[in-house]
Amino acid sequence: MKSVLQGTHETESGPEQVAQLVNSMTQEDLLYLLAHSIRLLPFESRKDCQSIFSYAFRFKPPHSLSPDPPALTHVVHRRPEVIVELCRGYGYKESAMPCGVVLRELLKQHEDVASIILHDESRETERAISIDEIDPRESPVQSGEGIFWNFFPWIDGGAFEVSTDAFTTFRELLTRHKALVAIYLEKNFDLFFSRYNSVLVQSSSYVTKRQSIKLLGEILLDRANYAIMTQYVESGEHLKICMTLLKDDRKMVQYEGFHVFKVFVANPKKSPPVQRILVNNRERLLRFLPTFLEERTEDEQFMDEKSFLIRQIESMESAPS
């Protein structure tokens, strides 16, 4: 299949031949079988399988009137189980990386792939949700049992290579299609951030912790997520978690935590719980911040932001009782 799709050094692949093969792959449900069984294949075969997926999902027949490759259209509308099975590849170290590469290519190609991953709550062997069944604004609040929520244990509990690749896909999923994700996070705010903070931000893994704090800052500071940011920084509990990060014994965790902390302090409409925590800790913060990461003297933006926060904390009024 790989040689037909991509050609070889001796022979080129013809578009008609490729179109016929891709059509047969969808008709015979081969994409699902490959996604489901990739972990069982030898190493070189798994690499070939990744190449087959990538090429099949990119191929458009000559003179096609459809804007999307037919294999991708088939999977999104009629066989979303392929996407779910590719995600489940993270449950096995043998299939994590090839499945991850294919998933990220799909996420870059089409928002519908992200929507299926976010909204599917099927169990193994059950039918997955089709894109035609999804209305992001009308979808119910998630149970936390769907395929998306498995990324949390895959990131925090998997082997290093599984964890790293799963986080890369997780980040792509949450940052590529901003409007879709903003609706999803607003609707599932409590569940998402409860799990995000407890599993990822407070992970015992340094790499997971640092990457997760950095991504949290990116999510909160993205204009598309303004409503989410304002809700997040209203929480006194979120602020407490963030202030704990500032005291971490690892400099980069402190640094990434600072970029979340500054959102709380810079917010002109602080909630009473947040205002109360900051005022009650004002003296300690004013002793702590001037020497906080003081060695970063060449980072002018950081030094300016730190000075700004110190001024904000100094001038802060007491919270209403």
Side-chain angles (χ1 to χ4, degrees), residues 56-73:
F57 283 134
R58 289 197 308 268
F59 175 75
K60 289 175 64 176
H63 315 300
S64 172
L65 298 178
S66 172
D68 298 317
L72 178 57
T73 300

Side-chain angles (χ1 to χ4, degrees), residues 82 92-93 133 183:
V82 174
Y92 308 89
K93 64 179 181 179
E133 301 172 271
I183 294 169

